[in-house]
Amino acid sequence: MAEAPAFDPEKFKAAARAQWDKNAKGWNDSAPQIRGWLAVATEAMLDMADVKPGSHVLDVAAGAGDQTLDIAKRVGPSGSVLATDLSAGILEFAKENARRAGFANVETKVADGENLGVEEASFDAAVCRLGLMLYPDPLKGLREIYRALKPGARLATLVFSGPEQNPCVVILVSTAFKHAGLPPRDPYQPGGLLSLGKPGLIDELFQKAGFTDVKTRKVTALFKLPSVKDYLSFTRTSAGPILEILGKLDDAAKDAAWAEIEEKLTAFNTASGWEGPNELLLTTGRK
Ligand SMILES: C[S@@+](CC[C@H](N)C(=O)[O-])C[C@H]1O[C@@H](n2cnc3c(N)ncnc32)[C@H](O)[C@@H]1O
């Protein structure tokens, strides 16, 4: 079995950027499924961040901009949203989606979440949907958002909760690791999909970054699809961290990994289709 290489945050981010550039189209093509999965959680996140007409909003790790469009609609023409992401490739889709939807109040900026390069105290609200757990140093990312917010403004983030509540993520990660010949990894290791699911951790990081009035609530986000094949097709084209783990395998070895993943995921077949359990943590804090 291969030794896990020593963790280098800059190399980790460079690899993540390249991977998200590569699967940007896949994530964008899955927008309808992602919207169905996350619509309720996203509305709650925007409420928690107090995103309202006229707000100037920072959307960090915005991806292809699904939640950016919701923000642009909420803030209206007198407000605006800056969508930022590590990957230029995926952010191009956010830009194009905003243009197609007719929103003139969306701007984009390629930026590492740990170093946003935006003006201090310039935003009325900030959100980060399913991005923060992928940072090697989420505290640095939270400090950076804190810096960008006006005094009194709120941040709301969504991340995966723990392994027991997210069995599909566990199946994806553990099976991918096994097929890649890597030893099982601590689910809470920085940068992993479940890294911020450790009880109490995200509240602690918000507080360390300076936020007050910090609250977390659990949000159920069932991924309902017609069949397990649809989830497979979503993850095979869009799930950056899993694709990265499998990246070095040849096509036959990749197929074998996906076959085992599919077989395990059939545990969530229902009479009417497929329902993958997921639980997210919705955290908010005030500057
Ligand atoms: C799971 S996707 C979520 C995208 C979008 N927020 C959504 O919910 O549809 C994760 C995103 O985080 C971005 N990302 C990963 N590491 C990052 C970092 N260090 N700084 C900024 N963005 C990062 C990726 O490029 C990717 O677009």
Side-chain angles (χ1 to χ4, degrees):
M1 195 169 275
E3 279 262 316
F7 188 70
D8 175 338
E10 291 312 315
K11 267 196 190 156
F12 178 87
K13 281 189 278 193
R17 178 187 290 116
Q19 184 59 55
W20 284 103
D21 276 348
K22 213 159 132 188
N23 64 259
K25 184 177 182 304
W27 188 266
N28 188 57
D29 288 348
S30 299
Q33 290 86 340
I34 294 170
R35 177 154 282 261
W37 174 36
L38 296 176
V40 172
T42 303
E43 276 305 296
M45 176 180 75
L46 301 193
D47 288 346
M48 289 271 236
D50 200 19
V51 172
K52 53 182 189 261
S55 300
H56 180 39
V57 182
L58 175 63
D59 182 5
V60 182
D66 181 57
Q67 72 289 310
T68 314
L69 301 182
D70 292 335
I71 300 167
K73 189 170 169 203
R74 242 195 214 222
V75 301
S78 63
S80 59
V81 46
L82 178 67
T84 69
D85 200 280
L86 183 66
S87 151
I90 205 162
L91 213 48
E92 270 307 306
F93 286 101
K95 195 192 259 179
E96 180 55 17
N97 290 334
R99 193 194 62 76
R100 276 207 208 147
F103 291 120
N105 57 353
V106 174
E107 283 190 22
T108 58
K109 180 180 186 343
V110 178
D112 175 356
E114 295 174 7
N115 184 14
L116 290 167
V118 296
E119 203 184 321
E120 190 171 344
S122 57
F123 291 91
D124 301 306
V127 298
C128 182
R129 188 179 86 174
L130 294 188
L132 194 63
M133 68 280 175
L134 302 175
Y135 293 16
D137 189 345
L139 176 58
K140 206 167 165 195
L142 286 171
R143 286 194 167 124
E144 193 55 358
I145 296 173
Y146 183 89
R147 195 187 60 78
L149 287 174
K150 294 178 186 169
R154 300 200 76 100
L155 161 68
T157 64
L158 278 169
V159 300
F160 287 107
S161 71
E164 277 163 33
Q165 294 75 23
N166 292 285
C168 302
V169 176
V170 171
I171 289 172
L172 286 163
V173 175
S174 60
T175 315
F177 262 71
K178 188 182 93 176
H179 282 259
L182 295 165
R185 189 169 60 171
D186 171 3
Y188 303 128
Q189 183 170 313
L193 283 162
L194 302 174
S195 60
L196 295 179
K198 193 174 194 167
L201 177 59
I202 191 150
D203 291 63
E204 192 187 315
L205 294 176
F206 263 62
Q207 279 153 3
K208 272 194 187 156
F211 288 98
T212 58
D213 191 19
V214 176
K215 291 179 272 224
T216 290
R217 78 176 168 85
K218 294 171 179 164
V219 183
T220 299
L222 204 58
F223 211 141
K224 284 192 192 183
L225 291 166
S227 88
V228 67
K229 295 261 183 231
D230 297 286
Y231 188 67
L232 248 279
S233 128
F234 161 67
T235 45
R236 280 193 85 150
T237 53
S238 324
I242 308 300
L243 298 169
E244 206 181 317
I245 299 166
L246 296 174
K248 290 205 176 81
L249 301 182
D250 64 28
D251 286 350
K254 278 186 189 141
D255 286 346
W258 286 109
E260 186 175 337
I261 288 171
E262 177 174 350
E263 207 264 309
K264 288 178 172 162
L265 288 171
T266 56
F268 307 107
N269 284 347
T270 66
S272 57
W274 185 86
E275 294 186 5
N278 284 277
E279 187 186 79
L280 308 176
L281 299 178
L282 174 54
T283 305
T284 178
R286 185 185 295 283
K287 177 165 176 178

